[in-house]
């Protein structure tokens, strides 16, 4: 390096900057180990901005004839669990006055809503899908949520785990979908019950949902993919 | 100062203001980070071909895997946007005569004087680069927040009659900024050297 402070002139330091910049392409591998630290340093601010950007109101939807069934790819982290519809129960517990165990008939008895939205995967692909089922907000309201509840933990039959901020869970277009594109939800897409929402990335939208737990704070586990490095808020 | 040569020079090349040089250098750095991490994200689901598509060699990617690529891409996007926004803002307010205008197009059409034509091409090239960088930012923003910024995504619906969804068009457009800026970058370096030689490089870098 420079022998004297003056030797590291502006010219030289800028040269070094340019050289290091151009070697980024070749030396990217060396920077890869910093990825997580870089994400942890910047995600809190990004997530705050995301939460501010996210409105509570309805987002415009697509027309029913715009759905793209072939564009919806299937991702599964642990195979496809078998859930018998007759014995299926959705458990709602945590910070609620009336813990629930709802069967499919109870979910079908709630007001049904269809949302034709763009399902966006973290991988980059997207598909317009018509999801239908009860609103997640209506299901939570049945259980008498405590005002202290701020987060929702979602457990799936395949051990997939997710946590959401309550505002996103209560969004009027966040559904517990039981139908897709007008037909009963296929097993590969999460039958009998899955999350569907226009305001979150696909990995937030758990399939094969069996338990909702209202929590006052987040625990050690943020989610199956979040714990591996994905963003937690993942707002769209 | 550098002595002005006898040949008709397009104007004296003094050192550019510090802010120009700072924005210029920093832009190059963050652009490399954005492109490399963007290609990492591309590899998770290639825009062309989807899961069966051809991926970019790891040499040109940054992040190690999808989440790592997203870590870098979203960490740098704010710096990239702030740098570019302030730079373009200051250029428009203080040095808008340096940006290309209709006069440069007229020069390209009318003039047979090679140095004039080169200068006009140079001005057009770097002005296009700034526009393209701003476009990469807007198209990226549309992909980052497609639900809240649905109106931005809907601008990319122009290829729907041809059977391409606005999302696919958006992805192609955002990706296309990389080869486009790379080509303009080559032209920019060649033209800078031809227009101002090392004097211009020194004025811009030091």
């Amino acid at each position: 390096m420079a022998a004297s402070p003056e030797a590291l002139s502006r010219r030289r330091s800028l040269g070094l900057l340019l050289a290091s910049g151009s070697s980024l392409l070749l030396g990217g591998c060396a920077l890869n180990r910093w990825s997580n630290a870089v994400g942890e340093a910047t995600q809190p601010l990004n997530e705050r901005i995301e939460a501010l950007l996210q409105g509570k109101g309805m987002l415009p939807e697509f027309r029913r004839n715009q759905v793209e069934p072939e564009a919806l790819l299937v991702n599964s982290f642990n195979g496809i669990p078998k859930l018998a519809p007759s014995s299926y129960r959705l458990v709602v517990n945590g910070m609620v006055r009336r813990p629930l165990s709802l069967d499919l008939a109870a979910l079908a008895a709630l007001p049904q809503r269809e949302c034709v939205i763009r399902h966006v995967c973290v991988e980059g692909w997207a598909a317009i899908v018509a999801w239908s089922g009860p609103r997640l907000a209506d299901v939570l309201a049945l259980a008498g949520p405590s005002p202290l509840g701020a987060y929702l933990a979602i457990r799936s039959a395949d051990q997939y785990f997710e946590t959401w901020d309550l505002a996103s869970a209560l969004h009027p277009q966040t559904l517990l979908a039981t139908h897709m594109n007008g037909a009963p939800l296929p097993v590969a897409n999460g039958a009998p019950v899955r999350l569907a929402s226009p305001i979150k990335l696909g990995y937030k939208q758990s399939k094969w949902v069996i338990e909702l737990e209202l929590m006052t704070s987040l625990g050690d586990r943020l989610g199956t993919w979040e714990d591996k490095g994905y963003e937690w808020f993942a707002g769209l | 100062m550098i002595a002005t040569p006898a040949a008709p020079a397009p104007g004296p090349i003094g050192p550019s203001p510090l802010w120009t040089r700072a924005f210029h250098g920093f832009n190059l750095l963050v652009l490399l980070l954005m492109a490399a991490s963007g290609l990492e994200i591309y590899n998770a689901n290639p825009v062309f071909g989807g899961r069966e598509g051809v991926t970019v060699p790891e040499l040109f990617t940054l992040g190690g895997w999808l989440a790592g690529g997203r870590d870098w891409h979203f960490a740098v996007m704010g710096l990239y946007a702030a740098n570019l926004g302030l730079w373009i803002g200051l250029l428009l307010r203080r040095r808008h005569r340096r940006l290309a205008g209709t006069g440069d197009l007229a020069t390209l059409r009318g003039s047979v004087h090679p140095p004039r034509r080169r200068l006009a091409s140079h001005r057009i090239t770097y002005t296009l680069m700034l526009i393209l960088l701003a476009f990469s930012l807007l198209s990226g923003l549309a992909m980052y927040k497609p639900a809240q910024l649905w109106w931005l995504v809907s601008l990319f619906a122009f290829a729907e009659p041809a059977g391409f969804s606005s999302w696919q068009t958006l992805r192609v457009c955002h990706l296309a900024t990389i080869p486009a800026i790379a080509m303009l970058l080559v032209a920019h370096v060649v033209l800078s050297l031809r227009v101002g030689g090392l004097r211009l490089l020194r004025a811009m870098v030091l």
Side-chain angles (χ1 to χ4, degrees), chain A residues 21 25 32 75 124 231 235-236, chain B residues 32 51 59 63 70 145 147 167 205:
Chain A
L25 284 181
N32 285 352
N75 275 329
E231 312 99 282
L236 290 176
Chain B
L32 284 170
R51 285 182 178 168
L59 184 69
R70 290 173 64 91
K145 290 282 158 272
W167 185 259
V205 174

Side-chain angles (χ1 to χ4, degrees), chain A residues 10-11 14 17-18 20-22 24-26 28-29 31-32 34-36 38-40 42-43 46 50 53-55 59-60 66 68 73-75 118 120 122-126 198-199 201 225 228-231 235-236, chain B residues 18 21 25-26 28-29 32-33 36 40-42 44-46 51 58-72 74-77 143-150 153 160 165-167 171 202 205-206:
Chain A
R10 193 163 62 179
R11 182 182 299 193
L14 278 160
L17 179 75
L18 278 181
S20 59
S22 55
L24 269 176
L25 284 181
L26 299 168
C29 305
L31 289 175
N32 285 352
W34 294 96
S35 304
N36 208 33
V38 162
E40 276 174 10
T42 52
Q43 263 169 34
N46 280 351
E50 282 181 73
L53 240 144
Q54 184 171 291
L59 290 162
Q66 285 178 294
E68 306 162 307
L73 306 181
V74 171
N75 275 329
R118 186 183 279 117
V120 181
V122 66
E123 294 169 345
W125 56 267
I199 57 170
L201 279 172
W225 280 109
K228 296 181 203 290
Y230 283 33
E231 312 99 282
L236 290 176
Chain B
L18 182 63
R21 287 172 280 150
F26 191 69
L28 178 61
L29 182 74
L32 284 170
L33 290 171
E40 179 77 63
I41 298 171
Y42 174 97
N45 183 271
R51 285 182 178 168
E58 208 186 323
L59 184 69
F60 300 107
T61 64
L62 170 63
W65 69 303
L66 174 57
R70 290 173 64 91
D71 279 336
W72 281 100
F74 301 146
V76 178
M77 67 177 177
M143 216 183 294
Y144 184 56
K145 290 282 158 272
Q148 309 304 329
L149 306 179
W150 54 270
V153 184
E160 265 174 16
S165 68
S166 45
W167 185 259
R171 291 189 77 191
R202 236 177 265 136
V205 174
L206 297 186

Side-chain angles (χ1 to χ4, degrees), chain B residues 98-141:
Chain B
R98 303 258 172 169
L99 297 171
T102 46
D104 294 293
L105 288 173
T107 306
L108 274 193
R109 267 201 302 270
S111 176
V112 287
H113 188 49
R116 275 181 183 283
R117 294 177 59 86
R118 271 202 293 277
L119 181 62
S121 315
H122 180 51
R123 287 160 56 93
I124 290 170
T125 305
Y126 67 63
T127 306
L128 274 179
M129 287 176 93
L130 288 170
I131 294 170
L132 194 65
L133 292 175
F135 175 74
S136 75
L137 205 58
L138 284 176
S139 56
L141 202 57

Side-chain angles (χ1 to χ4, degrees), chain B residues 122 126 185-198 200-201:
Chain B
H122 180 51
Y126 67 63
L185 184 63
V186 171
H188 179 55
V189 169
V190 170
L191 283 166
S192 323
L193 289 175
R194 299 224 41 201
V195 166
L198 287 176
L200 180 59
L201 184 68

